[in-house]
């Protein structure tokens, strides 16, 4: 059974940093592109980052480019999101998601972890 | 960026009825369109990809149609477990973008 379990969320002040982790199990992690998707309170979904199987290629929307860094450790079946220079508008539930093989859709999602950026 | 519009934010229906949820893209996205379902306390679930291909495990009462800019998710003979939130997503180009969601509630 595919499982994605996020951790590392919490309350952080504006301008500070936070690192999220996602522990994957139930599939060969190194074979799949992985991603982070977020959802602000009472808002829709926003794609945050994608990383290739080896980690050599990463993709971001303009809203987080230069501030967020996605990475992975295939030996540990783990995905990470380093978030720097956090803003109040980054407050959201962050989901770890697996890209479907050969596609950019998301075929498995974690339950999400809440990040609150506030002074 | 490709804007995805789900014109109905809320839809009420009764078990046994059929419903359709629409999604419109701001430019042609071919069939690079996915549909997701979210129920309270559960993870998001991929229902349909490539506009009309059912993901493994998606009940056959779900169907997707459309290409280009206009897409529809249809649920025939609603079951109680079908009520929840539905989102569309385009993956024709980055940034990947989602619709604003349609909440399907029991009438």
């Amino acid at each position: 059974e595919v499982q994605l379990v996020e951790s590392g969320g919490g309350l952080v002040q504006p301008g500070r940093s936070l690192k999220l982790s996602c522990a994957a199990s139930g599939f060969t992690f190194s074979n799949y592109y992985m991603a982070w998707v977020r959802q602000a309170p009472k808002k829709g979904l926003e794609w945050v980052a994608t990383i290739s199987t080896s980690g050599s290629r990463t993709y971001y929307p303009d809203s987080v480019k230069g501030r967020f860094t996605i990475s992975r450790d295939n030996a540990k079946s783990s995905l990470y999101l380093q978030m720097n220079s956090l803003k109040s508008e980054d407050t959201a539930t962050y989901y770890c998601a697996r890209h479907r093989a050969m596609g950019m859709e998301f075929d498995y999602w974690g339950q999400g972890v809440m990040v609150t950026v506030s002074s | 960026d490709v804007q995805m519009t789900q014109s109905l934010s809320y839809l009420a229906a009764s078990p046994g009825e059929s419903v359709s949820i629409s999604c419109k893209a701001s430019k042609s996205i071919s069939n690079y369109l996915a549909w997701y379902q979210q129920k309270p306390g559960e993870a998001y679930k991929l229902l349909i990809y490539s506009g009309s291909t059912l993901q493994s495990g998606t009940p056959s009462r779900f169907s997707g149609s459309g290409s280009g800019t206009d897409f529809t998710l249809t649920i025939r003979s609603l079951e109680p477990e079908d009520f929840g939130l539905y989102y569309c997503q385009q993956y024709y180009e980055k940034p990947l973008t989602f619709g604003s969601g349609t909440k399907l509630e029991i009438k």
Side-chain angles (χ1 to χ4, degrees):
Chain A
E1 179 193 5
V2 172
Q3 286 200 323
L4 300 170
V5 180
E6 304 93 339
S7 61
L11 174 64
V12 61
Q13 293 179 326
R16 303 298 289 264
S17 299
L18 196 66
K19 186 173 185 177
L20 304 181
S21 300
C22 171
S25 61
F27 65 103
T28 304
F29 181 73
S30 58
N31 286 353
Y32 290 85
Y33 276 47
M34 297 295 296
W36 290 96
V37 178
R38 69 184 179 184
Q39 186 168 28
K42 300 193 187 303
K43 299 287 187 182
L45 293 163
E46 181 185 17
W47 166 68
V48 171
T50 285
I51 189 167
S52 63
T53 51
S54 65
S56 61
R57 285 169 289 177
T58 56
Y59 309 89
Y60 308 91
D62 287 345
S63 58
V64 306
K65 194 176 294 182
R67 299 190 301 122
F68 288 13
T69 302
I70 187 172
S71 63
R72 64 192 298 161
D73 184 335
N74 287 341
K76 295 182 177 180
S77 294
S78 292
L79 180 72
Y80 306 101
L81 185 67
Q82 176 68 45
M83 304 184 291
N84 298 333
S85 303
L86 282 161
K87 307 175 183 180
S88 59
E89 50 264 42
D90 296 318
T91 294
T93 296
Y94 285 74
Y95 298 96
C96 170
R98 188 181 86 171
H99 280 289
R100 195 179 67 85
M102 307 303 292
M104 284 281 111
E105 327 85 302
F106 308 101
D107 63 356
Y108 285 94
W109 299 61
Q111 294 277 10
V113 63
M114 185 67 199
V115 172
T116 302
V117 183
S118 174
S119 54
Chain B
D1 299 1
V2 180
Q3 306 300 317
M4 305 301 294
T5 301
Q6 292 179 243
S7 54
L8 273 179
S9 58
Y10 172 83
L11 180 60
S14 301
E17 291 184 346
S18 294
V19 296
S20 292
I21 297 171
S22 65
C23 175
K24 187 175 182 68
S26 60
K27 61 180 274 190
S28 177
I29 58 170
S30 184
N31 67 338
Y32 292 92
L33 191 284
W35 288 97
Y36 301 91
Q37 176 194 60
Q38 189 202 28
K39 293 190 284 188
E42 297 185 15
Y44 278 89
K45 181 181 176 183
L46 173 65
L47 297 173
I48 287 171
Y49 61 93
S50 297
S52 61
T53 303
L54 264 60
Q55 170 71 348
S56 174
T58 300
S60 58
R61 61 181 179 274
F62 288 85
S63 63
S65 62
S67 66
T69 60
D70 293 287
F71 300 86
T72 303
L73 171 69
T74 299
I75 313 171
R76 290 182 296 103
S77 190
L78 279 166
E79 297 282 345
E81 61 265 29
D82 298 337
F83 295 93
L85 272 164
Y86 291 84
Y87 290 89
C88 60
Q89 178 227 338
Q90 68 81 21
Y91 49 101
Y92 178 76
E93 64 182 36
K94 298 181 183 67
L96 308 175
T97 49
F98 294 85
S100 54
T102 297
K103 187 174 186 179
L104 177 59
E105 286 197 341
I106 301 175
K107 188 184 290 184

